[in-house]
Every structure is written in structure tokens, then in C-alpha cells.
Amino acid sequence: MWSIDVYASCGMNGYLWLCERNGFRMVLPTLINGLGDIMNNHVINVTYINPTPHKHIPEPPKGVVMPKKVLQETVARRRRDCTAPHVYVVM
């Protein structure tokens, strides 16, 4: 079992596992009646295993400049009531 490099995979983590059911097959039998087998296959089949549970703190990648939050007043309108409450939206 090989650990996935978080930096090389743009943040994906977990494990890749090659076992008896995985591997490389030159000929793949088709599952559709009337369709021929896949010949000269060059795809490696691997199993992905989820990472162990860990505390996740979401944060933007290094170098990201976050825009300043702007608070704007908007008016929410109701169908039957002409008195609309004021709603503040963070943009």
C-alpha cells in the first residue's frame, strides 16, 4: 500500500493499493453482449483506500489573497406582504 503525496496530488490524500484483483491485463472481457473484448489494454487498475480519520482545518492555499468582505443592505420581498424585512448579505 502506497500513501498518496498530498502536495503532488493537489490536496488529495489516502492510499493506493495493488492486490490480486488489481493489476494490468492486456485483454478485458466485455460486459455487453455483442461487443468485442477490449484488446491491447494499457490501463493499470488500482484500489483507492480512504485516509484515516483526521482533524481537517479548511484553509486557502498559500499565496491566496482573500478579498475584503463587503456588507450590503438588500430588501427581501414577500409575495403577499408588502412590508419587506431588511436583510444584510455578506458579499
Side-chain angles (χ1 to χ4, degrees):
M1 189 166 15
W2 293 275
S3 178
I4 297 173
D5 184 355
V6 177
Y7 298 104
S9 63
C10 297
M12 181 177 173
N13 55 5
Y15 301 92
L16 294 179
W17 182 40
L18 289 171
C19 63
E20 290 179 9
R21 69 181 185 146
N22 301 122
F24 181 74
R25 297 182 191 163
M26 288 298 290
V27 179
L28 291 176
T30 184
L31 300 175
I32 301 171
N33 290 334
L35 188 65
D37 292 342
I38 298 172
M39 307 300 283
N40 201 15
N41 178 44
H42 292 276
V43 177
I44 296 176
N45 181 13
V46 296
T47 299
Y48 169 76
I49 298 176
N50 288 326
T52 54
H54 61 283
K55 191 173 187 178
H56 180 71
I57 302 172
E59 59 185 30
K62 293 178 183 176
V64 171
V65 178
M66 297 298 286
K68 188 172 87 173
K69 291 185 178 181
V70 178
L71 190 63
Q72 292 183 346
E73 183 178 357
T74 62
V75 178
R77 300 189 184 244
R78 296 182 186 168
R79 289 183 181 175
R80 297 182 183 157
D81 187 11
C82 59
T83 59
H86 292 272
V87 178
Y88 292 92
V89 179
V90 175
M91 302 184 99

